Amino acid sequence: MTSTAPRTPAAEPAPAVPAARETAPAPAPVADPPPSAGRGRTAIADQVVGKIAGMAAREVYGVHSFGAGLTRALGAVRDRVPGGRSSGSVTRGVKVEVGEKQAAVDLDLVVEYGVSIAEVAADVREEVIGAVERMTGLQVVEVNVNVVDVHLPDEDEDGGDPDATRVR
């Protein structure tokens, strides 16, 4: 008689049951390099990104103007002087930092009285990010919105001189 050792069952492969997996968020899409990659370099100046950001932010409902007090006052005077730089008003209150692939934007703005500042800020961020990324291909890493004032309905743009509109 042959002695047989107790037989231990061999490890059998587990049935193929799909295991529940945790889904990780998909990585952000990486933009394809521009067609000129490898054939030269494209540099985008800070003022270009500043103008794009300024124009995009101005389109948002509830934004009255840009810049802190003194900057706004000097800009308003410059805009009224014949030959004054009116293009400077587009970047008034807009500061940007531009790298090779990324940009950051800081905005000082005045909102209209009665609007939700949080909603205006969110809309400004969305518009600025969309416009800058679409037009430049740069990734916007942050848009900081600094609300410096609220424009009241009874404030006039002429500096508060009640006799200014009396004689024409």
Side-chain angles (χ1 to χ4, degrees):
M1 234 168 106
T2 52
S3 113
T4 58
R7 193 168 172 216
T8 58
E12 294 181 17
V17 175
R21 286 191 261 165
E22 291 184 30
T23 57
V30 177
D32 291 331
S36 65
R39 297 185 187 179
R41 183 175 170 272
T42 302
I44 300 172
D46 290 6
Q47 71 183 28
V48 172
V49 175
K51 284 183 180 183
I52 294 169
M55 289 299 295
R58 279 171 173 69
E59 294 175 2
V60 174
Y61 172 78
V63 173
H64 177 72
S65 62
F66 285 80
L70 183 59
T71 305
R72 270 195 341 261
L74 291 175
V77 169
R78 185 176 51 226
D79 290 346
R80 292 180 185 186
V81 172
R85 268 188 22 194
S86 62
S87 65
S89 65
V90 175
T91 58
R92 186 180 315 131
V94 180
K95 297 177 199 118
V96 299
E97 290 180 42
V98 179
E100 287 185 27
K101 297 180 182 179
Q102 297 178 327
V105 181
D106 297 324
L107 301 165
D108 293 335
L109 57 93
V110 178
V111 297
E112 293 289 346
Y113 176 80
V115 299
S116 167
I117 293 174
E119 287 179 19
V120 170
D123 291 346
V124 165
R125 276 189 193 91
E126 185 177 319
E127 288 294 318
V128 168
I129 290 170
V132 171
E133 288 184 348
R134 182 181 71 252
M135 295 176 73
T136 66
L138 296 169
Q139 176 191 16
V140 179
V141 293
E142 67 181 8
V143 176
N144 297 312
V145 177
N146 183 25
V147 178
V148 296
D149 201 358
V150 174
H151 179 256
L152 301 175
D154 60 345
E155 290 179 339
D156 56 19
E157 297 296 318
D158 294 330
D161 184 4
D163 295 331
T165 58
R166 210 159 120 193
V167 179
R168 294 189 188 235

